[in-house]
Amino acid sequence: MTSTARIEQHDVSAEGTGPYAITAGPDGALWFTMVHSGQIGRLVPGGEPTSHRLAPDSGPTIIVGGPDGALWFTEYQAHRIGRITTAGEIAEFDLPTPESGPYGLAAGPDGALWFTETTANQIGRITPDGQVREFPLPIEGAFPSAITAGADGAMWFTMNMANAIGRIGPDGEVAIHPLPTEAAGPVGIAAGPDGAVWFVEIGAGQIGRIGTDGGIEEFPLPDRAARPHAITTGPDGAMWFTEWGANRVGSITSGGVIEVHDLPTPGSEPHGIALGPDGALWTALEIGALARISPPAVETDR
């Protein structure tokens, strides 16, 4: 029997700042973007939040740990990649293609960071010293969104408008895997503990799984209008995701068992989700808060 997840809400910023994505830093803190106010936030669990200011209209979106011990983030509206050290020192890198709309970002196995350019229809690669290379996609208007490193040494990414999952190798070669469900609108993506890559279909209300061989499975959510947004691996071996349109977080096991949990505040708009330094899951709420999720304990009959 499974008990309910324990969820605690922590206010971290003013209403309207829009906490969006979140990651655990190497300093034992949570780092998060505030997309509407142009800030990067930091919270040590149990402490008080602090923030670092960018240009107000920069639109910081995804944030991840880099191979150099710093935090890296995309600036969707300023069309830059940003870097912030744990001491708060900020550097920003302009991209070769104007108005490219960088969104997704992930550290690769090659010591660089890989990112998506939503409006330029490209995948980008940036080294820790700021050298950028771009790779055009073979499908027009694909709107590449989130990206993650797969178990096969390649980067895997969602193509929101092309209704497909893409794979790009270290050499820049791209393979495309169309989704079985029409207009599924894949967004968030993450590598799972089972060696596969998991993703959410915001348009179809489903969770998807793709093996390194390209085989795809889809799992409908109990609420198909939930608008799942982001996904990550939890401490319990399940994949955890946000339901942006339904004010919930949920989990799915490798066998496809799904559970969902309501968030404490109605209309909190959960976006990014990540495993925190304290072993719990944390999700960014656009209302100006972070929610801490302790996965339910599993009890077995003896």
Side-chain angles (χ1 to χ4, degrees):
M1 176 175 138
T2 306
S3 62
T4 304
R6 189 171 77 250
I7 302 176
E8 306 160 356
Q9 184 173 308
H10 300 263
D11 294 335
V12 292
S13 61
E15 188 176 352
T17 55
Y20 189 83
I22 188 168
T23 194
D27 56 347
L30 291 153
W31 291 77
F32 55 96
T33 56
M34 288 178 269
V35 67
H36 298 314
S37 61
Q39 293 170 278
I40 303 296
R42 178 182 182 271
L43 177 71
V44 176
E48 292 297 316
T50 57
S51 65
H52 304 272
R53 183 161 294 284
L54 309 170
D57 59 351
S58 56
T61 44
I62 302 303
I63 186 166
V64 298
D68 56 350
L71 288 305
W72 289 73
F73 53 92
T74 50
E75 296 183 33
Y76 185 74
Q77 291 174 324
H79 312 288
R80 290 189 294 252
I81 303 297
R83 175 186 184 271
I84 184 168
T85 68
T86 53
E89 298 168 350
I90 296 169
E92 293 167 310
F93 303 93
D94 292 320
L95 298 177
T97 302
E99 308 292 311
S100 57
Y103 177 79
L105 182 68
D110 56 350
L113 292 115
W114 291 72
F115 57 94
T116 61
E117 295 182 345
T118 55
T119 54
N121 208 53
Q122 298 181 137
I123 301 299
R125 177 185 183 273
I126 185 168
T127 60
D129 62 355
Q131 299 298 309
V132 178
R133 188 178 176 191
E134 296 170 318
F135 303 91
L137 295 177
I139 295 179
E140 289 298 320
F143 206 82
S145 300
I147 189 167
T148 192
D152 58 348
M155 304 300 292
W156 292 74
F157 55 96
T158 52
M159 292 189 280
N160 180 260
M161 298 300 290
N163 207 52
I165 303 298
R167 176 192 185 275
I168 185 167
D171 56 357
E173 184 176 347
V174 176
I176 294 170
H177 304 278
L179 296 180
T181 301
E182 292 184 12
V187 183
I189 193 168
D194 57 351
V197 171
W198 292 74
F199 55 94
V200 297
E201 298 178 355
I202 197 169
Q206 298 184 138
I207 306 299
R209 177 189 183 275
I210 183 167
T212 52
D213 61 354
I216 295 172
E217 294 177 89
E218 293 173 314
F219 304 90
L221 294 172
D223 177 4
R224 299 294 291 275
R227 308 288 288 174
H229 177 82
I231 190 166
T232 195
T233 301
D236 54 353
M239 302 301 293
W240 283 75
F241 54 91
T242 53
E243 293 188 344
W244 174 72
N247 203 55
R248 290 186 293 251
V249 293
S251 66
I252 182 169
T253 68
S254 58
V257 178
I258 295 170
E259 292 189 355
V260 294
H261 312 275
D262 292 321
L263 291 168
T265 302
S268 57
E269 295 191 76
H271 285 281
I273 188 168
L275 184 61
D278 56 352
L281 288 149
W282 290 76
T283 184
L285 309 178
E286 196 167 329
I287 57 169
L290 306 180
R292 182 183 188 273
I293 305 122
S294 300
V298 177
E299 302 172 5
T300 56
D301 296 330
R302 294 177 184 260

